[in-house]
Amino acid sequence: MAMVWGQGELFAKANKQEIQRTKFLLDKYTDMVSLMRDFEQFEQDLQQITIEGEAARRIDQTDLHADKTANATILIEKQRWVYKRYQFYTHQLERAHRLIKDEEARQAVEYRYIQGYSRKETILFFRRSFSDSTIKRKIDDGVESIANTLKLIGFFEQDDTNF
């Protein structure tokens, strides 16, 4: 794992693209958790539906004849692969979230992304304690902290998907 950091840099700083990738993953966090729970609860049902259903009949619409069993196996493996990727993403995000040093930023990120509230709802929730601009800054600082932690632990090198 080759990490490219600036000369004399002890802790890596995430670049704009890595911060955007982090924000994207945080935006999708609650969806990923919901889909993972659904997959865990109904994996057997999903496999049965895939085998019996029309989804496995033809993966490629140009196929005139398709092996339904083989295609069902491919779809089941794809579902497992997506589940594993979501597990990886959510685990790393949770880990980086726990390492945010600023308690207020951690709480703002928790409410905004981990619990899944909108930016407006988050601002309204914290409005008694902070001004709107302070809350926005705390959220942005928390996201940047998560991105920096992800960079430090090598997440972006492991995340082989193109963003």
Side-chain angles (χ1 to χ4, degrees):
M1 172 171 58
M3 301 227 182
V4 183
W5 297 344
Q7 186 175 1
E9 224 177 287
L10 183 57
F11 295 102
K13 271 190 99 52
N15 60 36
K16 285 184 181 182
Q17 183 180 6
E18 292 164 339
I19 293 171
Q20 286 177 333
R21 177 74 175 147
T22 302
K23 192 176 281 191
F24 172 81
L25 290 171
L26 284 168
D27 279 333
K28 299 296 180 191
Y29 178 84
T30 54
D31 294 334
M32 288 189 288
V33 169
S34 295
L35 288 170
M36 284 174 28
R37 285 186 187 139
D38 185 69
F39 181 81
E40 290 165 357
Q41 190 173 5
F42 299 110
E43 182 177 6
Q44 295 299 321
D45 293 342
L46 286 169
Q47 289 177 0
Q48 193 63 33
I49 290 168
T50 301
I51 292 168
E52 294 175 0
E54 292 297 314
R57 187 156 314 276
R58 281 191 257 155
I59 291 178
D60 185 4
Q61 295 302 320
T62 61
D63 288 343
L64 297 176
H65 304 287
D67 183 356
K68 189 174 178 180
T69 306
N71 289 348
T73 304
I74 292 168
L75 289 174
I76 291 167
E77 286 305 312
K78 183 178 179 183
Q79 289 171 343
R80 278 195 194 113
W81 180 84
V82 169
Y83 174 76
K84 293 286 187 192
R85 293 309 298 177
Y86 283 2
Q87 258 187 332
F88 172 71
Y89 291 148
T90 56
H91 176 72
Q92 297 303 324
L93 289 171
E94 290 164 0
R95 182 178 172 195
H97 171 257
R98 285 190 301 269
L99 293 173
I100 297 174
K101 295 220 183 277
D102 182 357
E103 180 65 31
E104 293 157 350
R106 187 176 333 108
Q107 287 176 346
V109 169
E110 166 84 24
Y111 199 80
R112 169 69 179 97
Y113 295 108
I114 306 300
Q115 293 184 26
Y117 290 99
S118 70
R119 195 170 186 104
K120 183 178 181 179
E121 290 169 324
T122 304
I123 289 169
L124 290 173
F125 182 78
F126 288 102
R127 191 171 239 167
R128 289 185 180 162
S129 306
F130 305 108
S131 68
D132 294 0
S133 60
T134 302
I135 297 164
K136 290 176 185 176
R137 190 176 65 254
K138 293 289 183 186
I139 292 171
D140 292 341
D141 290 349
V143 169
E144 187 175 341
S145 174
I146 289 174
N148 289 338
T149 300
L150 292 176
K151 183 167 184 97
L152 186 63
I153 63 177
F155 171 82
F156 297 111
E157 287 82 14
Q158 293 173 0
D159 182 24
D160 55 6
T161 58
N162 291 330
F163 177 62

